[in-house]
Amino acid sequence: MRICFVSDGDLNDYAENYSNTSADVVCFSFQALGQVNYERELRGETNLFEDAALLSKEGKNVVVCGCYTDARGVRRKSVVVAERGRILGVSDMVNRIDGGEYRCGAGIKIFDTKAGKLGVVVAEDLYFPQVLQTLSVCGADVALCIFEEPNETLEQTLIRAGAYFYGLPVCMCARGYAQAADIAGKLCFASPDSPCVYEMEREQEFHLVETRHRGFYKKKSEF
C-alpha cells in the first residue's frame, strides 16, 4: 500500500502542485479542510467534502482528511474518507478529555476500500489503547491516525507500542510531520517533508495466546 502524507497545505495546493504523485491513499492533517459546517455543506454554500471526493476521483485513490466539523453548534474533530469520487463516511473522535472544546462522537470506523481496510484514529483517540485494539480485532489492515501538532516523542512512542501490542501497522499524519510504525514496534518511516510517500507492506501475524482467568463460574450438573 503506497501512502502519501500531506502534513502542510490544503487540498487545493496539493491538487495544483502534486496531484501526479502516485499513491493508493493520500492522508491530510487538519489544515487540509479546516472548519466544516454541515448545514452550509448541505445547503451548497460550501463544498469542502466535495473537494475531497473530487481529489480522490482525479487520483483514482483514497483521500483521508482531518477537519473540524460543526453540527448545529456541536463541534467535533473528524476525519472524512473519500474513494474515487465518493464520500465513504466521516469518523469522529470518540474520546473527550476533561470537557474539552470538541465533543466526542460515536463509533470507531473501518473503511473497506480497494487499497485495503483502513482503520481511522482521530487525534487524541491515539491516547486510548482500546481504539487501536478495536481496529485490530475488527480486521483493519492499517490504522491511520490523523493528528494535529504532535509532542516531542509521546505520539511516536504510542504508535510504536500500539503497532506492537495489536499487530497492526500504525501511520500518523500530523501538522508538519508524518511517521509510521510496523508490527515489530519499529519506527519504519518518519519525515517532515510534505508531501512524502511511504510504501507500506501489509503485515498480518496471528498467535494463539492462552491465559488463566478467574470467574466464569458454571455450576456442575448433578446428573
Side-chain angles (χ1 to χ4, degrees), residues 6 8-19:
V6 185
D8 188 25
D10 58 18
L11 268 69
N12 292 330
D13 179 63
Y14 178 85
E16 291 175 3
N17 299 293
Y18 307 106
S19 59

mmCIF file of all heavy atoms in Angstrom, residues 6 8-19:
data_model
loop_
_atom_site.group_PDB
_atom_site.id
_atom_site.type_symbol
_atom_site.label_atom_id
_atom_site.label_comp_id
_atom_site.label_asym_id
_atom_site.label_seq_id
_atom_site.Cartn_x
_atom_site.Cartn_y
_atom_site.Cartn_z
ATOM 1 N N VAL A 6 0.373 14.335 3.518
ATOM 2 C CA VAL A 6 0.430 15.774 3.258
ATOM 3 C C VAL A 6 0.268 16.468 4.600
ATOM 4 O O VAL A 6 -0.842 16.625 5.111
ATOM 5 C CB VAL A 6 -0.677 16.212 2.275
ATOM 6 C CG1 VAL A 6 -0.505 17.696 1.926
ATOM 7 C CG2 VAL A 6 -0.638 15.362 1.009
ATOM 8 N N ASP A 8 1.321 19.553 5.341
ATOM 9 C CA ASP A 8 1.286 21.014 5.244
ATOM 10 C C ASP A 8 0.521 21.392 3.976
ATOM 11 O O ASP A 8 0.628 20.717 2.947
ATOM 12 C CB ASP A 8 2.705 21.581 5.198
ATOM 13 C CG ASP A 8 2.725 23.094 5.289
ATOM 14 O OD1 ASP A 8 1.771 23.661 5.839
ATOM 15 O OD2 ASP A 8 3.696 23.702 4.799
ATOM 16 N N GLY A 9 -0.262 22.454 4.037
ATOM 17 C CA GLY A 9 -1.019 22.891 2.872
ATOM 18 C C GLY A 9 -2.385 22.241 2.798
ATOM 19 O O GLY A 9 -2.671 21.258 3.486
ATOM 20 N N ASP A 10 -3.237 22.794 1.931
ATOM 21 C CA ASP A 10 -4.605 22.281 1.826
ATOM 22 C C ASP A 10 -4.795 21.450 0.566
ATOM 23 O O ASP A 10 -3.847 21.192 -0.179
ATOM 24 C CB ASP A 10 -5.609 23.437 1.871
ATOM 25 C CG ASP A 10 -5.372 24.455 0.758
ATOM 26 O OD1 ASP A 10 -4.689 24.127 -0.230
ATOM 27 O OD2 ASP A 10 -5.872 25.592 0.875
ATOM 28 N N LEU A 11 -6.045 21.054 0.325
ATOM 29 C CA LEU A 11 -6.347 20.199 -0.820
ATOM 30 C C LEU A 11 -6.042 20.892 -2.139
ATOM 31 O O LEU A 11 -5.516 20.271 -3.073
ATOM 32 C CB LEU A 11 -7.820 19.773 -0.792
ATOM 33 C CG LEU A 11 -8.144 18.458 -0.094
ATOM 34 C CD1 LEU A 11 -7.920 18.585 1.403
ATOM 35 C CD2 LEU A 11 -9.586 18.031 -0.366
ATOM 36 N N ASN A 12 -6.372 22.178 -2.224
ATOM 37 C CA ASN A 12 -6.158 22.903 -3.476
ATOM 38 C C ASN A 12 -4.674 22.997 -3.817
ATOM 39 O O ASN A 12 -4.278 22.841 -4.975
ATOM 40 C CB ASN A 12 -6.760 24.305 -3.387
ATOM 41 C CG ASN A 12 -8.271 24.275 -3.325
ATOM 42 O OD1 ASN A 12 -8.897 23.366 -3.870
ATOM 43 N ND2 ASN A 12 -8.865 25.260 -2.665
ATOM 44 N N ASP A 13 -3.851 23.252 -2.807
ATOM 45 C CA ASP A 13 -2.411 23.322 -3.021
ATOM 46 C C ASP A 13 -1.872 21.989 -3.517
ATOM 47 O O ASP A 13 -1.063 21.933 -4.445
ATOM 48 C CB ASP A 13 -1.710 23.734 -1.720
ATOM 49 C CG ASP A 13 -0.207 23.786 -1.877
ATOM 50 O OD1 ASP A 13 0.287 24.597 -2.680
ATOM 51 O OD2 ASP A 13 0.494 22.997 -1.189
ATOM 52 N N TYR A 14 -2.352 20.905 -2.914
ATOM 53 C CA TYR A 14 -1.910 19.574 -3.348
ATOM 54 C C TYR A 14 -2.371 19.295 -4.772
ATOM 55 O O TYR A 14 -1.607 18.785 -5.597
ATOM 56 C CB TYR A 14 -2.447 18.520 -2.390
ATOM 57 C CG TYR A 14 -2.077 17.104 -2.783
ATOM 58 C CD1 TYR A 14 -0.852 16.555 -2.412
ATOM 59 C CD2 TYR A 14 -2.948 16.324 -3.524
ATOM 60 C CE1 TYR A 14 -0.505 15.257 -2.778
ATOM 61 C CE2 TYR A 14 -2.622 15.026 -3.900
ATOM 62 C CZ TYR A 14 -1.399 14.495 -3.523
ATOM 63 O OH TYR A 14 -1.062 13.216 -3.903
ATOM 64 N N ALA A 15 -3.638 19.612 -5.061
ATOM 65 C CA ALA A 15 -4.196 19.335 -6.391
ATOM 66 C C ALA A 15 -3.449 20.105 -7.481
ATOM 67 O O ALA A 15 -3.234 19.588 -8.583
ATOM 68 C CB ALA A 15 -5.675 19.691 -6.411
ATOM 69 N N GLU A 16 -3.047 21.336 -7.174
ATOM 70 C CA GLU A 16 -2.374 22.155 -8.176
ATOM 71 C C GLU A 16 -0.917 21.766 -8.399
ATOM 72 O O GLU A 16 -0.406 21.885 -9.509
ATOM 73 C CB GLU A 16 -2.439 23.630 -7.755
ATOM 74 C CG GLU A 16 -3.840 24.220 -7.809
ATOM 75 C CD GLU A 16 -3.887 25.635 -7.262
ATOM 76 O OE1 GLU A 16 -2.792 26.159 -6.907
ATOM 77 O OE2 GLU A 16 -4.983 26.201 -7.176
ATOM 78 N N ASN A 17 -0.256 21.279 -7.338
ATOM 79 C CA ASN A 17 1.194 21.076 -7.435
ATOM 80 C C ASN A 17 1.658 19.625 -7.359
ATOM 81 O O ASN A 17 2.752 19.311 -7.838
ATOM 82 C CB ASN A 17 1.885 21.865 -6.319
ATOM 83 C CG ASN A 17 1.638 23.357 -6.424
ATOM 84 O OD1 ASN A 17 2.102 23.998 -7.360
ATOM 85 N ND2 ASN A 17 0.896 23.917 -5.468
ATOM 86 N N TYR A 18 0.854 18.756 -6.742
ATOM 87 C CA TYR A 18 1.351 17.407 -6.508
ATOM 88 C C TYR A 18 0.358 16.311 -6.891
ATOM 89 O O TYR A 18 0.518 15.169 -6.485
ATOM 90 C CB TYR A 18 1.686 17.230 -5.015
ATOM 91 C CG TYR A 18 2.606 18.284 -4.466
ATOM 92 C CD1 TYR A 18 2.116 19.291 -3.637
ATOM 93 C CD2 TYR A 18 3.967 18.283 -4.767
ATOM 94 C CE1 TYR A 18 2.956 20.265 -3.119
ATOM 95 C CE2 TYR A 18 4.806 19.252 -4.255
ATOM 96 C CZ TYR A 18 4.295 20.236 -3.433
ATOM 97 O OH TYR A 18 5.126 21.202 -2.919
ATOM 98 N N SER A 19 -0.653 16.648 -7.652
ATOM 99 C CA SER A 19 -1.704 15.670 -7.946
ATOM 100 C C SER A 19 -1.205 14.471 -8.749
ATOM 101 O O SER A 19 -1.868 13.433 -8.813
ATOM 102 C CB SER A 19 -2.854 16.341 -8.705
ATOM 103 O OG SER A 19 -2.386 16.911 -9.915
#
